[in-house]
Amino acid sequence: MPATSRIRFVLVGTQHPGNIGAAARAMKTMGLARLVLVAPERPLDEDAYRRSAGAEDVLGDAPVVATLAEAVADCWLVLGCTARSRRVQLEELLPEVAGQRAVAKAVELGEVAFVFGRERTGLSNEELQLCHAAVHIPSDPEFSSLNLAAAVQVLAYEVRMAYLALAAEPAPPPAAGFGEEPASHAQLEGLFGQLGQTLDDIDFHKGRAPESAMRKLRRLFAKAELTEQEVRLLRGILSDAQRMARLAGQNGG
Ligand code: SAH
């Protein structure tokens, strides 16, 4: 199976079914077949199938899930496509670089997701927080928002280009295999949940809003590309800190 079979395109809260059909077509032309729909506003209709123009299989196979977290739970790399640069402290990638990283991750046997937002409002900051990096097509800042399916086409094309470049290279030697799997998205979210709780338990914030520290910590850990083992180690340390905080609370209070 080609590495691109491990790359999925996730459409969040799409408002027009026709755009979903056009996105399926855009993907299929670039050899991509895995579409996931997160809580679309309306079910697939005739317009969606008409605009898929031969990519009905991609459309018909697309699972519908309730949340973005669910759609990317097993992913090693989650890339959020956004029409504007936000305050969210995420690394911002050019489409070409995003395509290359996605294919490299998929070759390592990791699941990869590109995430696209709603036509009107894009992705929420909370949804972008679930992404490891942001991807911005460097459009005219005065008119920066592409049609959803057009944005899907650009990213699908870049994935295709990265895949073709790799296929043209001689096969690399087999990986050394350290036996350490990268942590999944769900494992990282578990770590972030416990980290947030621990910071509360040890009274780290002292009245400051917790979100800013958590955003910076998420960015730090995204750079570290943690393995499953490292997540287990960190969670063990946090559990001990939480236990000590409980003890201190009992003794002091
Ligand atoms: N009005 C929305 C734009 C939504 S366009 C906003 O300002 O956020 C629908 C989706 O297409 C976006 O959520 C994004 O995933 C993708 N998209 C559109 N233009 C893009 C661009 N220039 N770069 C990256 N993704 C883009």
Side-chain angles (χ1 to χ4, degrees):
M1 270 210 290
T4 43
S5 67
R6 282 184 283 276
I7 299 178
R8 76 192 69 170
F9 276 34
V10 180
L11 306 187
V12 180
T14 310
Q15 282 143 342
H16 301 290
N19 279 335
I20 303 179
R25 176 183 186 177
M27 288 171 61
K28 190 166 176 174
T29 55
M30 297 295 135
L32 297 168
R34 289 181 58 206
L35 177 63
V36 179
L37 306 177
V38 177
E41 265 193 18
R42 286 189 274 147
L44 295 178
D45 58 9
E46 208 178 305
D47 191 33
Y49 279 95
R50 195 174 47 76
R51 292 200 44 203
S52 75
E56 291 86 4
D57 50 344
V58 174
L59 216 46
D61 287 346
V64 178
V65 299
T67 64
L68 176 57
E70 213 178 312
V72 301
D74 58 335
C75 289
W76 290 7
L77 180 63
V78 180
L79 300 170
C81 300
T82 154
R84 24 181 180 150
S85 297
R86 313 265 181 132
R87 273 159 297 153
V88 175
Q89 293 175 350
L90 280 179
E91 183 186 8
E92 194 173 285
L93 307 178
L94 285 169
E96 184 180 2
V97 178
Q100 288 160 355
R101 284 211 200 161
V103 169
K105 211 40 119 184
V107 166
E108 284 176 45
L109 302 183
E111 290 286 327
V112 176
F114 283 91
V115 182
F116 298 85
R118 299 159 189 82
E119 291 91 332
R120 259 196 308 275
T121 54
L123 293 168
S124 70
N125 284 341
E126 289 70 31
E127 285 159 351
L128 272 173
Q129 285 288 304
L130 294 176
C131 301
H132 299 122
V135 186
H136 177 64
I137 301 162
S139 43
D140 186 335
E142 302 293 319
F143 194 70
S144 67
S145 176
L146 279 76
N147 164 267
L148 172 60
V152 165
Q153 186 74 77
V154 171
L155 271 306
Y157 168 77
E158 292 295 356
V159 168
R160 179 88 181 149
M161 290 303 281
Y163 170 69
L164 292 177
L166 199 83
E169 282 174 14
F178 298 105
E180 282 201 37
E181 297 279 298
S184 70
H185 192 270
Q187 286 164 338
L188 285 175
E189 286 305 311
L191 169 67
F192 295 143
Q194 189 181 359
L195 183 56
Q197 186 58 53
T198 308
L199 293 182
D200 269 348
D201 293 350
I202 64 174
D203 193 24
F204 173 77
H205 302 300
K206 304 188 183 57
R208 291 178 303 239
E211 291 78 26
S212 157
M214 280 312 295
R215 270 199 300 274
K216 289 176 188 149
L217 287 164
R218 277 175 177 272
R219 187 183 155 115
L220 168 70
F221 285 120
K223 281 190 287 195
E225 298 192 2
L226 296 176
T227 64
E228 285 183 358
Q229 243 177 25
E230 289 162 345
V231 168
R232 271 200 299 278
L233 173 65
L234 287 170
R235 293 199 64 165
I237 295 172
L238 292 176
S239 295
D240 278 351
Q242 288 179 300
R243 188 168 49 79
M244 298 305 281
R246 266 197 305 276
L247 284 174
Q250 282 160 13
N251 292 339

